[in-house]
Amino acid sequence: MWDALIITPFINTLLFIYNIVGQNFGIAIILFTLLIRVITHPLMVRQIKGAQAMQELQKNEKWLKIQEKYKGDREKLAQEQMALYKELGINPFASCLPTLIQLPIIFGLYQAIISALASTPLDLLRLIRHIYPGLLQVESLIPLNSRFLWMDLGQPERLFIPGLSFGIPVLVVVVVITTYVQGKLIATPSANPKDQTAAMSNMMNLYMPVFMGYLAYTLASGLALYFVASNLIGILQYAMLGKVNWGNVFPFLNKQPAAAGSGGKKSYSK
């Protein structure tokens, strides 16, 4: 079931794109990422709406009264909170849905990359079983070109600089930074930082970059390339929708200018 629904379609899509872009596997992964982002765009819109609904809830008078009434009873507070979610039609997990959808894509893409970059006769036989005969001709694709920039896309990414005895995981650093920036940009500020939803969001913003960085460090660099492309495309999508909150990444953008002094003159600190 997993092979039929995820691995085989991913392999054929990657190889089809690879074939039409001059057999460049790195470009194929980037275009595949763009395709995935387009397909999952409706989920992103739902994520935005869910985040906005959660922010508006923090200002809801009924919710504020519930918090005050049950501030000493966490179990009852949680029950009332879920009841209010249902009443207002809010899905508290809507903002997490795109992240959950990403997980099978990540694992499926990793397996597809490893399978497509068949390095042994046995691997090649396994790859042939995944190919759609009417779509691709294996003999015209093998051996696949796994090189992209300084990377072997079937191996963990490292940049080796003359004079250094170790490789630098450049793409891993980029994955961590772009994952963190994307998470902060799309985060909706909460009126109550101690709220459970805000706490969960803050935890995700810290743990997800580390988790994605670990995957990028230990698994094939083709997967790390997917992470970077997905993050950058995601940031661009949010920017095009006008939903990017740069103040979350650069707090100084949220600061208000100094109040004007008497006579309409601004006061400046020396």
Side-chain angles (χ1 to χ4, degrees):
M1 180 67 74
W2 174 258
D3 280 1
L5 295 179
I6 302 293
I7 306 300
T8 299
F10 278 15
I11 289 175
N12 283 270
T13 302
L14 276 170
L15 293 183
F16 178 78
I17 298 173
Y18 169 83
N19 202 31
I20 64 177
V21 296
Q23 299 195 339
N24 187 314
F25 206 56
I27 298 298
I29 291 174
I30 294 173
L31 292 178
F32 176 85
T33 307
L34 179 60
L35 177 63
I36 293 295
R37 276 292 186 172
V38 170
I39 293 173
T40 58
H41 182 74
L43 293 177
M44 174 183 289
V45 174
R46 289 185 61 186
Q47 180 186 30
I48 292 173
K49 291 181 178 178
Q52 289 177 333
M54 293 301 293
Q55 182 183 23
E56 292 171 1
L57 177 66
Q58 304 305 319
K59 304 174 184 178
N60 185 288
E61 290 186 6
K62 190 171 183 179
W63 169 237
L64 294 175
K65 291 179 180 178
I66 290 174
Q67 284 184 305
E68 180 63 27
K69 183 177 180 180
Y70 299 108
K71 61 182 179 181
D73 188 344
R74 299 184 63 178
E75 182 176 349
K76 184 63 176 178
L77 178 62
Q79 292 175 356
E80 293 294 325
Q81 185 178 24
M82 294 306 297
L84 187 58
Y85 284 159
K86 187 175 181 180
E87 177 185 331
L88 299 176
I90 296 175
N91 181 1
F93 303 106
S95 60
C96 301
L97 191 57
T99 302
L100 297 177
I101 294 296
Q102 280 273 79
L103 293 179
I105 294 175
I106 289 171
F107 294 124
L109 180 62
Y110 170 71
Q111 291 180 276
I113 290 172
I114 297 303
S115 297
L117 297 174
S119 57
T120 67
L122 181 59
D123 291 337
L124 183 57
L125 287 174
R126 291 171 179 167
L127 174 61
I128 293 173
R129 290 187 302 184
H130 286 288
I131 298 298
Y132 297 144
L135 181 66
L136 298 166
Q137 294 181 341
V138 179
E139 60 271 17
S140 67
L141 300 174
I142 304 301
L144 266 72
N145 176 21
S146 64
R147 303 298 304 181
F148 182 67
L149 300 178
W150 68 90
M151 298 171 281
D152 180 347
L153 296 173
Q155 300 295 324
E157 178 265 342
R158 301 291 186 274
L159 175 62
F160 291 92
I161 299 176
L164 291 180
S165 59
F166 57 90
I168 302 174
V170 176
L171 213 57
V172 174
V173 176
V174 178
V175 167
V176 172
I177 293 174
T178 55
T179 302
Y180 177 78
V181 169
Q182 181 183 218
K184 295 294 287 184
L185 284 178
I186 66 179
T188 305
S190 174
N192 181 11
K194 296 183 179 180
D195 182 72
Q196 289 183 343
T197 303
M200 182 175 67
S201 178
N202 291 333
M203 184 177 66
M204 288 289 290
N205 286 337
L206 291 176
Y207 288 142
M208 278 304 294
V210 175
F211 175 65
M212 302 294 266
Y214 172 77
L215 293 180
Y217 184 81
T218 56
L219 301 180
S221 56
L223 191 62
L225 181 61
Y226 166 78
F227 290 158
V228 172
S230 181
N231 290 340
L232 293 178
I233 294 171
I235 292 171
L236 180 61
Q237 282 179 298
Y238 278 96
M240 293 175 64
L241 291 170
K243 301 300 181 181
V244 167
N245 187 355
W246 292 106
N248 282 355
V249 181
F250 307 106
F252 63 85
L253 295 178
N254 291 326
K255 293 182 179 180
Q256 300 297 323
S262 59
K265 296 181 180 180
K266 294 183 179 179
S267 59
Y268 297 92
S269 58
K270 296 182 179 181

